[in-house]
Amino acid sequence: MTKKINPLWGGRFKLDSSALLKKINNSIDFDYLLAKQDIKVCLVYAKSLKKAGIVSSSELKKILNGLNKISDSIKKNKFLFNADYEDIHMNIEMALKEDIGDLAGKLHTGKSRNDQVATDLKIWIRENVGEIIKLINNFQKVLIKKSEDNLFNIMPGFTHLQNAQPISVAHYFLAFFEMFERDKKRFKNLLKTIDECPLGSGALVGTNFYKIDRKFISKSLGFNKPTNNSLDSVSDRDFAIDFLSASSILGMHLSRLSEDLIIWCSSSFSFVSFSDALSTGSSIMPQKKNPDAVELVRAKTSLLYSNLMSLLTTMKGLPMGYSKDLQEDKIPVFKTYETVQLILLVMCEVIKDININKKQMYNSSKLNFSTATDFADWIVMNLGYTFRQAHHLAGKAVVMAEKKKCNLFELELDDLKKLDSKISKKIYNFLDPHKSVENKKSEGGTAFSEIKKAIKKAKTKIDYKR
Ligand code: ARG
């Protein structure tokens, strides 16, 4: 082993770390992504040291200048992340030392990597959650546009994937709009809970007599307030779990939408088709056009779940205080962000591009006696029966239609009168899918009038400036 002892904590060590320890201990391969946030934290901390009288004005100038130079070289992709320096904090500290000498060591007075890394990660999540909210917003715009374009198009609404009752195609897309609206809220809530600054908590107990102004630090880093308890500040990663959880739920919604589209583009359904630009072919079957894009959105959602499970599992057995296990929190967070960003962008393209086969959807909306409930409702309203009695009568009409191999609305009035002589021809008006949709005027129902209101309301929830 060479004698190249760790410059940050090597004081009490006689031997250099083994190659294997370095391999398992190093995080620079992934936490280099925190470079921007780490420098931001260092800049503010340096200023707080000046306020505390630990560095002089000229020292502060040198430190800030040095940090800004590092920041520039990172931005220009010129900074060499060195695997000998285990993580991003040490890389930046050592680069600063190379530039301004031992003064760099002053920057770390009263500061631990434990409070620093928690702060870096909170800032990183905060910044990137903003991007996710923007992408959800853009996706919602696409859903609104699709709803407007398909307001009067009719499709079967399903329960158990069996035709249940007709709905407007817009109603379908707006259901997803609502789900993504709640996703957006989950991310916005996360921005509230993450808004406390851990910096100034030291390794676990707080700082000594240095008079570090945590309110100043918190404010300068854009947080609402400093965290309340130094031990909690360095120990927990619930904010990262919140991020992974909100991302998993968002993924679940995207995956369900994908699943529908996969079913809908099958030749048996033929409700939708994708353009060539968003389909793939088969290397053996020349005729194939496959919906790989949405299949991969569905598959990648499993990665979001596993990232959530991974961090939850890492955390569940940790004793109070910092443990090195916490270093692994960044891998799921970064990977989840990258995945969420990708699948949101892909789904945006898919929904924009998708071709709706109106005729097929409409024809299918008539299948499986989809207006049998309307039949029963008409009987309740016009013949004064209870819904259960009306349901029974409608069931008999279905059996009759099944026997005659026709639809409910194709039954002769004479046949219907055999079920109940009071049934009149007016009932036919209620058996048409279009009429059926039109009548669902309860708040939030699929009636065209309700959907128009829903679209108007949805538009108020969208930021059109983004
Ligand atoms: N790279 C470490 C992490 O990400 C920084 C904190 C190191 N703290 C320590 N006590 N070894 O968690």
Side-chain angles (χ1 to χ4, degrees), residues 253-292:
H253 289 145
L254 289 169
S255 182
R256 283 190 75 179
L257 177 54
S258 302
E259 172 69 6
D260 275 343
L261 298 180
I262 292 161
I263 296 171
W264 289 5
C265 77
S266 66
S267 36
S268 317
F269 262 78
S270 292
F271 278 11
V272 295
S273 57
F274 296 100
S275 76
D276 284 1
L278 282 169
S279 310
T280 51
S282 157
S283 54
I284 176 168
M285 297 169 283
Q287 83 284 13
K288 285 298 288 272
K289 203 170 148 190
N290 296 325
D292 291 28

Side-chain angles (χ1 to χ4, degrees), residues 349-382:
E349 282 290 300
V350 165
I351 299 298
K352 254 190 224 167
D353 176 87
I354 205 155
N355 177 40
I356 307 268
N357 188 346
K358 298 168 203 162
K359 209 167 154 197
Q360 175 75 359
M361 279 189 166
Y362 180 71
N363 287 338
S364 173
S365 79
K366 297 181 193 163
L367 301 179
N368 205 26
F369 314 107
S370 63
T371 50
T373 314
D374 300 278
F375 187 105
D377 286 337
W378 185 88
I379 287 178
V380 168
M381 291 305 288
N382 295 281

Side-chain angles (χ1 to χ4, degrees), residues 27 31 87 89 113-114 117 237 322 324 326-327 330:
S27 54
D31 68 14
D87 58 20
H89 324 290
R113 283 182 296 166
N114 297 357
V117 74
R237 292 293 184 269
Y322 176 89
K324 201 56 180 271
L326 293 175
Q327 178 164 281
K330 294 158 211 70

Side-chain angles (χ1 to χ4, degrees), residues 60-158:
L60 177 65
K61 230 179 178 177
K62 281 185 199 149
I63 294 174
L64 297 185
N65 195 24
L67 287 170
N68 284 327
K69 275 200 255 168
I70 298 172
S71 171
D72 272 356
S73 78
I74 291 175
K75 274 186 207 146
K76 288 181 188 145
N77 270 333
K78 284 190 180 146
F79 189 84
L80 233 139
F81 293 101
N82 186 342
D84 279 340
Y85 304 144
E86 46 185 73
D87 58 20
I88 184 62
H89 324 290
M90 191 165 165
N91 263 270
I92 288 174
E93 182 170 343
M94 294 312 289
L96 188 63
K97 189 173 177 194
E98 234 168 72
D99 186 22
I100 65 171
D102 279 341
L103 174 59
K106 270 203 175 180
L107 178 58
H108 303 279
T109 318
K111 175 168 70 57
S112 161
R113 283 182 296 166
N114 297 357
D115 57 347
Q116 181 159 358
V117 74
T119 311
D120 287 3
L121 189 59
K122 274 191 168 183
I123 298 176
W124 191 94
I125 291 178
R126 189 177 70 193
E127 288 174 1
N128 289 292
V129 158
E131 177 64 18
I132 293 182
I133 292 174
K134 189 177 102 188
L135 291 176
I136 298 177
N137 186 74
N138 289 344
F139 183 47
Q140 285 178 303
K141 277 190 221 164
V142 174
L143 290 172
I144 291 179
K145 174 84 177 60
K146 271 284 150 190
S147 306
E148 287 179 317
D149 292 349
N150 289 284
L151 176 60
F152 295 108
N153 291 330
I154 291 174
M155 63 175 275
F158 297 98

Side-chain angles (χ1 to χ4, degrees), residues 32-44:
Y32 74 93
L33 286 171
L34 290 177
K36 191 177 109 196
Q37 293 73 17
D38 201 70
I39 288 181
K40 192 171 181 172
V41 163
C42 286
L43 287 167
V44 167

